[in-house]
Every structure is written in structure tokens, then in C-alpha cells.
Amino acid sequence: MQRYLKPLSVFFIAAAVTVIIFALLYRYDNKYTYPGPMGSNGVLLLNGDDQFLVYPIDGWEFYRNRLLSPDDFTALTLTPDTYLYIGQYSGFGLDDPQEDPFGTATYRLHVFTGCTQEKTYMLELPEIFSAYRLFINGRHLVTEGTPASDGSYQAHIFHSSITFQAADHIEIIFQTANYDHYYSGLVYPPLFGTAPAVQKLMNTQMLMGSMRFFMAVTIGVFYFWTGLSVQDRKNTLWFGLLCLLYAGSISYVMVHFLGLGNVGLWYRLEDFCFYGTMLCITLICTTLYQKKDVPLRENKIALAILFLGGTVCLSSFIFPTLIDLGLSGLVFFYSRLVDFYKIAVTCYLFYSAFQSVKSNYAYAGALFAAAGIYTISLGTDALVPLYEPIRFGWPTEIGGFVFILILGALITLDTVRNFRERQHLALQKDYMETQLFLQQEHYQKLSDQIAQTRKDRHDLQHHLRVLRNHCIDGNLDRLAAYLDGLTDYSALPGDVPLCENFAVSSLVSYYAAIAGKEQIEVTTAIRLPETVGDISNQDLCIITGNLLENAIEANLHCDREHRFLSVHMHFTGNYLAILVDNHFDGNCQFREDRFYSRKRNYRTEGIGISSVKAIADKYMGQASFQMKDKVFEASILLKYCL
């Protein structure tokens, strides 16, 4: 239970902040709570301000199954079927399951501005489903599609605005028709006011929406490009697709801005991308944060959610076609399917968050927060019907964008962590391979030394017999000559012990002989017993061999008169000190406390030095490397126990 406390705390904090933010947006960025006069019984009274904005939402006259013109209202005494506010009903059937949601209707509103002088006004015309004619003060100003109840009906959904001149009284009449969309007539409240004020607010809406759109596209393209070069390609590419689907779900902003004509196809794509976004979120949460040892095909819950999501995505794209075929009865079924899918995704996100805690995912708290923010946005969108954003977008757009930012950060952190783990494993592998190679080389050298020593000991008995015979004969001249020959022989490399430790003595003698051939002046002061506590001779030889090999190589780049190599090994307290100094030409790459190998064009750290550091760490010691006046100083301390 303890491990759930922190993720749950993060979730409740994020949820509380999200609820507060959405409450503020509902109050201050909502067309339905925007301060201003309310219409009633077909009349909206304004106060005559020079610069004003108003959402004419309430009090519209509604005439069902009638396409009425201004002349009809002049010639006849007509009674509306009802008075309604914009967004109250989604279809012409007034949300009565027994009534047909499709057909025709007329909306009418009288606006009194309170200004006797003629002014220029602007009316924003959001998407009106799916064809309409607009009359203002008896003049026919706009037509989109062909609103009709016969075969001449033609849909054309478009977002635009219109300016016109008027004084105190403005009569607004919409003739609308819809036979192919799940919304009908006026669903989104229009914006009315003086031209500068309306244009300024529309520009703000466009700026906020386009910023989210381009940021989502940029992030998506970046992760697609990154996914081609990282090890965790699948998850990165899925996240890139998620960002692009999210951008598609809010693309209506750019569609309106670019004026791409009939947005009917874009509505299908927008719905498809919206539910596809939820599908990608489900898939990414399944593959990233649940138990790694459970393959997707065995996760029945995830498969069920993914199948449901795929069904909803496909339905959202083909649903308008089914309506065109006369299957309007599917509207209710489709609406319930979508609602059930949103609830299922909400539950599954929390399930995934709990699974991330069980699998000890490092960022479970952040996943809980992301799940909470997104599900609260889905709940707000479903449970708060009178919420039409003014500037900052729909709750699902805001929640989805925040979720993408958090999920992108988690995927990036995961990628970096996995990269570091693979790099660490690669370094360990290189270290083990280097250690194995050095040990093999070291033991080969020791084997050669032992074989030579055995041969020398075998030959020594023959020399002793000859010396004994010369002593018996009393031939001192021959004895002296023979001893001179033995002295020359004994001067061969590797035959003079430097300390009691046979392995170290043999290895230092070997490299000292190589240094002598290269005219490198060698000085040694080694005081080592046969065994050095718990420090293995193999590790001592790896350190000694690497340091001496590097020192000889560095000397070879210097002038002969400056070449030298100094080797000191002694005890200080509970530590064995190994000091190797050598001359070098000053050409050395040192970055971030690492020396980079000349053999590899300074691209990677030297393998020998990394091996020395690893062994120093093994014995709770330290390895220090310094450069002073073209002298490279290596100081190694190894803690030993008797």
C-alpha cells in the first residue's frame, strides 16, 4: 500500500488543479456564461455601446419543418413551435426519440441595438448543419448549400463571418436543412457585435487553436524522425502518430482559416482522429507501463478496449454514409457507442496507472496525473453540456494537449534511461572482454616466463657440472671465461627479479626490456611480497600492464633524449600505492574527467584506463591521472585486507 501513496497524491493534486482550471474556464471562457443581455421570446435588447460583443443564444423563435422567408413573416401571422436557446437540441426532433431529427427548420431573432445611427456590424457564422440561407432585415445575404425538403437539397458546411450595415432594429432569419449529419441547424452560438470587436476575438481564437495545432504537428514529426534512429522505435513512432492524430482532431481551426470549402469530409477526419487519439493513448499505456512479461495478445482487457476503439474509429468515418443511405435510426446507437467508449477508456487509463505502480514504473505518479487530467477533460465534455469555449478550446483539446506533453516527457525519459542502461551494459561488456583479453595475454606471458625459467633451471645443472669440473681441475682461467659467458646470458630480459611477487616482477621486467629497446630510461622501486592480501595477482597485472603499455606508447611520440618511465609500488597504511610516471608529447584529450584514446582518434575513453578505474573501484580505492609539464602521472590506491 505504501508504494501507492505517492502516485495517488500526485493524482489528487493534478485532479484538483484540473478541476479548478476547468471551473475557471467554464465561468470566464464560456459563451453560455459570457456577461451580456439575454434574449427572450424572439427579442434581444442591447444597450447601444460603441464597441460590444454578444452571443445571441437565448430566445430564438423555432419553426419546425418550415423554410420561412421574410415575406412569409410579413404576409402571415406565424406562431413558433417553441422558443429555444442555441445548443439546446442537437436535432430538429428536439431530442424526442419518436421524432425525426432530420428535416428543415427556420430560426428567427429580433435584435434592438439601442443605437439610432447606422453602424457596421459583424456576425460570426459557425458551422450550421448542413445547409442554410441567411436573411438580415429582409435581405438575402448568405447561402451555403441548398436548404430544401425535396431532392434539390445539397449540404455545404462552412465557417465564415459577414458584415452589414444596420441601425436600431435587426431581424435575423436562418433557413436550415439537414439530412446527412448527426447535428441539425444552429448548434454552435454565433457571435454578434461591432466589426472590430468581433474580428479581434476571432483572431484570438485562431491564434490559440493554431498554436496547439502546430505544436502537436511539430512534436509528432520530431518523434517520427527520432523513432527512426532509436532502439525503442515502436513506442516512439506510436507517440508520433498520437500527436498527429491529435493535430487532426483540432484541425478545424486551420480548415476554417484556410477556407478549404465544404468541411463535411473534414468532420469525418476530425472525428476519426479524435477517437484515434484515444486509441493510441490506450495502446501506448499498454505497451509502456504495464508488466513487460505480459505480451499484448494475452492482455484481454487491452485487446477489448483496442477492438472497441477500432470499431468507433471506423464507425465515425462511415457513419455519415449510413445516414445518406437512410439509416438514420443508427444515430442513437452511435451516440451510445461513443459514450461507452469514452467511459471504457477512462477506466482503462486508471487501470494502466495502477499497473504501472505494480510493475515499479519510475514515473507512475506522472502517469496517474496524466490519466486524471485527460479523464477529467472527457468527463467535463460529456457532463457539462452548456460549455462552448471562447478562446482556449474545448476541455478535451486542453486535456489531450496536456496529456501529450506529459506522455512525451515520460517516453523521452524512458528512452534516455534505456539508452543509459544499454550504454552501461555495453561498457561492462567491453570491460569484461578487455579484462579477459588482458588476462589471456598476461597468462600467456607468465607461461612463457615459467617455461623459460624451467628451461634455465634445467640448463643450470649442466652449467654447474662444467663449473665443478673446472674447479676440480683448478683451471681458473677457463672458470672465469665460462662465468663471463654466464653473466652475459643472465643479463637477458626478465631474469632479474624486481620483487618477491613473481607475476608483477615478470610483467615489469618484460615491459622494462621493451622500454630499454626503445631507449626509454626506466627506474623501478617495487616492494611487493609474494601475495598482497586479498588483491589478486590478476588484477595487479591488469593495472600494471595497462599503465606500462600506455606509458611506453606515450614515450614513443617523444624525442629519445626526453623518454623516461618510472614505476613505484609500496604500502601506505591499508593501501597499496602504484605510481607510474612517464613523459609524453603534451597531446592528450581530457573531457569530463575522462582521457580519450589516441588509438581511436579521441572518440572514446581509453579501454586500459577504464579497466584500471574499474579495478580501483573494486578494491574501494581510487585512480588519479594528472598531467604536469608533459609528465603523465598515474596514481592508483588499492585497499587490501590480510
Side-chain angles (χ1 to χ4, degrees):
M1 184 62 186
Q2 191 70 23
R3 62 179 176 180
Y4 286 97
L5 292 179
K6 184 177 180 181
L8 286 175
S9 300
V10 175
F11 161 72
F12 283 117
I13 293 173
V17 173
T18 303
V19 169
I20 293 172
I21 291 175
F22 281 151
L24 293 174
L25 291 175
Y26 177 84
R27 176 64 182 85
Y28 298 104
D29 191 58
N30 185 7
K31 295 177 182 179
Y32 289 97
T33 58
Y34 189 81
M38 300 291 181
S40 178
N41 296 324
V43 178
L44 175 62
L45 301 177
L46 305 179
N47 55 17
D49 290 344
D50 291 335
Q51 299 288 331
F52 72 88
L53 290 172
V54 64
Y55 288 98
I57 296 176
D58 297 284
W60 285 81
E61 300 174 4
F62 180 76
Y63 302 85
R64 187 167 178 263
N65 291 329
R66 288 181 282 182
L67 294 175
L68 301 174
S69 67
D71 294 337
D72 295 326
F73 287 103
T74 302
L76 303 173
T77 301
L78 302 173
T79 302
D81 293 281
T82 186
Y83 293 97
L84 53 75
Y85 61 84
I86 303 301
Q88 184 175 0
Y89 305 110
S90 60
F92 293 146
L94 306 183
D95 292 349
D96 185 349
Q98 305 301 323
E99 297 291 339
D100 189 353
F102 302 102
T104 61
T106 300
Y107 298 81
R108 182 182 184 222
L109 181 67
H110 293 277
V111 180
F112 292 91
T113 64
C115 180
T116 58
Q117 296 180 351
E118 191 173 75
K119 287 186 177 182
T120 301
Y121 297 101
M122 178 177 284
L123 180 65
E124 179 196 16
L125 301 174
E127 298 96 322
I128 299 173
F129 304 94
S130 291
Y132 72 94
R133 294 188 188 96
L134 171 63
F135 299 88
I136 294 182
N137 287 341
R139 291 182 297 165
H140 177 204
L141 298 183
V142 179
T143 296
E144 294 293 345
T146 305
S149 57
D150 53 21
S152 63
Y153 164 80
Q154 185 177 1
H156 190 267
I157 305 172
F158 197 70
H159 184 106
S160 62
S161 61
I162 185 174
T163 58
F164 58 91
Q165 300 286 328
D168 181 35
H169 176 236
I170 302 173
E171 181 190 45
I172 303 174
I173 297 176
F174 284 98
Q175 294 179 352
T176 62
N178 176 57
Y179 293 95
D180 58 2
H181 198 276
Y182 47 82
Y183 290 152
S184 296
L186 290 175
V187 177
Y188 303 121
L191 174 62
F192 173 69
T194 55
V198 173
Q199 190 62 55
K200 181 179 179 181
L201 185 55
M202 290 178 63
N203 291 339
T204 302
Q205 295 171 345
M206 181 61 60
L207 177 62
M208 299 300 297
S210 59
M211 284 176 58
R212 281 196 302 271
F213 175 81
F214 284 114
M215 286 183 66
V217 171
T218 301
I219 295 173
V221 172
F222 170 77
Y223 273 90
F224 260 116
W225 175 77
T226 304
L228 299 177
S229 57
V230 299
Q231 187 74 17
D232 302 321
R233 177 175 302 179
K234 180 175 64 175
N235 291 327
T236 306
L237 291 177
W238 273 118
F239 181 71
L241 177 62
L242 167 63
C243 294
L244 295 181
L245 286 172
Y246 171 79
S249 69
I250 62 171
S251 61
Y252 64 89
V253 177
M254 301 307 301
V255 172
H256 297 161
F257 176 74
L258 297 175
L260 296 179
N262 190 352
V263 297
L265 176 62
W266 289 105
Y267 267 109
R268 298 191 187 196
L269 293 175
E270 179 184 327
D271 288 345
F272 177 83
C273 290
F274 176 76
Y275 300 118
T277 299
M278 299 171 67
L279 183 65
C280 272
I281 289 174
T282 302
L283 184 61
I284 292 175
C285 288
T286 301
T287 57
L288 273 184
Y289 310 125
Q290 295 191 21
K291 293 181 179 180
K292 306 297 183 181
D293 55 348
V294 179
L296 180 60
R297 64 179 179 273
E298 297 181 8
N299 193 332
K300 296 181 179 180
I301 298 177
L303 289 178
I305 299 295
L306 293 174
F307 176 78
L308 178 62
T311 303
V312 172
C313 289
L314 181 62
S315 300
S316 68
F317 200 81
I318 67 174
F319 179 71
T321 303
L322 297 178
I323 296 178
D324 291 340
L325 296 175
L327 302 176
S328 58
L330 293 175
V331 173
F332 180 80
F333 173 76
Y334 175 73
S335 176
R336 294 297 179 267
L337 177 64
V338 168
D339 291 341
F340 178 73
Y341 178 54
K342 290 180 179 179
I343 295 173
V345 170
T346 299
C347 296
Y348 186 76
L349 286 179
F350 284 109
Y351 171 75
S352 297
F354 276 103
Q355 288 295 101
S356 70
V357 178
K358 287 185 178 180
S359 60
N360 294 321
Y361 178 58
Y363 312 111
L367 182 60
F368 261 116
I373 292 171
Y374 189 65
T375 53
I376 289 173
S377 70
L378 289 175
T380 303
D381 185 66
L383 301 177
V384 185
L386 298 182
Y387 186 1
E388 294 284 337
I390 298 175
R391 299 177 180 84
F392 298 105
W394 299 90
T396 52
E397 296 174 2
I398 298 173
F401 187 70
V402 173
F403 190 94
I404 283 176
L405 293 180
I406 296 176
L407 198 60
L410 298 185
I411 290 178
T412 302
L413 291 173
D414 266 345
T415 302
V416 172
R417 184 179 62 179
N418 292 336
F419 174 76
R420 287 179 176 175
E421 288 178 355
R422 287 192 298 271
Q423 190 179 40
H424 180 67
L425 290 175
L427 288 175
Q428 283 186 329
K429 181 181 177 182
D430 290 342
Y431 167 71
M432 296 301 295
E433 290 178 350
T434 302
Q435 220 178 18
L436 179 61
F437 172 77
L438 291 175
Q439 287 179 353
Q440 291 174 345
E441 183 180 0
H442 164 66
Y443 284 121
Q444 183 61 43
K445 293 175 182 177
L446 288 181
S447 298
D448 294 341
Q449 290 282 350
I450 292 171
Q452 181 64 38
T453 301
R454 288 178 177 175
K455 178 178 178 299
D456 291 343
R457 287 178 177 176
H458 181 269
D459 294 340
L460 181 61
Q461 60 183 336
H462 302 297
H463 297 307
L464 292 176
R465 291 191 184 98
V466 174
L467 293 174
R468 182 174 181 279
N469 291 333
H470 287 314
C471 290
I472 293 174
D473 294 340
N475 195 334
L476 298 180
D477 293 335
R478 290 184 179 180
L479 177 61
Y482 197 85
L483 286 174
D484 290 339
L486 289 179
T487 302
D488 293 338
Y489 175 81
S490 63
L492 290 175
D495 205 40
V496 179
L498 301 176
C499 64
E500 296 180 11
N501 189 296
F502 177 75
V504 174
S505 177
S506 301
L507 196 60
V508 174
S509 298
Y510 171 79
Y511 281 107
I514 295 176
K517 293 179 181 179
E518 299 295 342
Q519 299 183 14
I520 300 173
E521 182 181 351
V522 180
T523 58
T524 61
I526 303 174
R527 296 187 294 275
L528 291 185
E530 186 174 353
T531 59
V532 185
D534 61 339
I535 301 177
S536 69
N537 287 336
Q538 291 90 339
D539 289 335
L540 284 175
C541 290
I542 289 174
I543 292 177
T544 305
N546 279 312
L547 294 180
L548 295 182
E549 183 178 5
N550 290 343
I552 292 174
E553 181 185 352
N555 271 290
L556 295 179
H557 296 284
C558 305
D559 296 334
R560 296 181 183 275
E561 59 271 16
H562 296 127
R563 297 178 180 178
F564 80 90
L565 170 61
S566 173
V567 184
H568 294 266
M569 298 185 187
H570 60 272
F571 295 97
T572 172
N574 292 331
Y575 288 89
L576 169 63
I578 303 174
L579 309 175
V580 177
D581 299 342
N582 62 270
H583 197 272
F584 75 108
D585 61 356
N587 190 0
C588 184
Q589 292 288 340
F590 177 78
R591 301 189 302 271
E592 299 178 357
D593 197 30
R594 295 182 178 181
F595 288 94
Y596 288 79
S597 173
R598 187 194 295 241
K599 297 177 182 178
R600 297 170 179 80
N601 296 324
Y602 305 109
R603 291 192 301 268
T604 59
E605 184 181 14
I607 296 177
I609 289 182
S610 63
S611 297
V612 171
K613 289 181 178 179
I615 294 175
D617 292 338
K618 174 181 176 181
Y619 291 100
M620 295 182 291
Q622 64 179 11
S624 173
F625 305 94
Q626 297 181 352
M627 298 174 290
K628 296 180 181 178
D629 299 330
K630 293 188 178 182
V631 175
F632 191 90
E633 300 177 354
S635 304
I636 314 300
L637 288 177
L638 303 178
K639 188 175 182 180
Y640 67 94
C641 298
L642 298 176

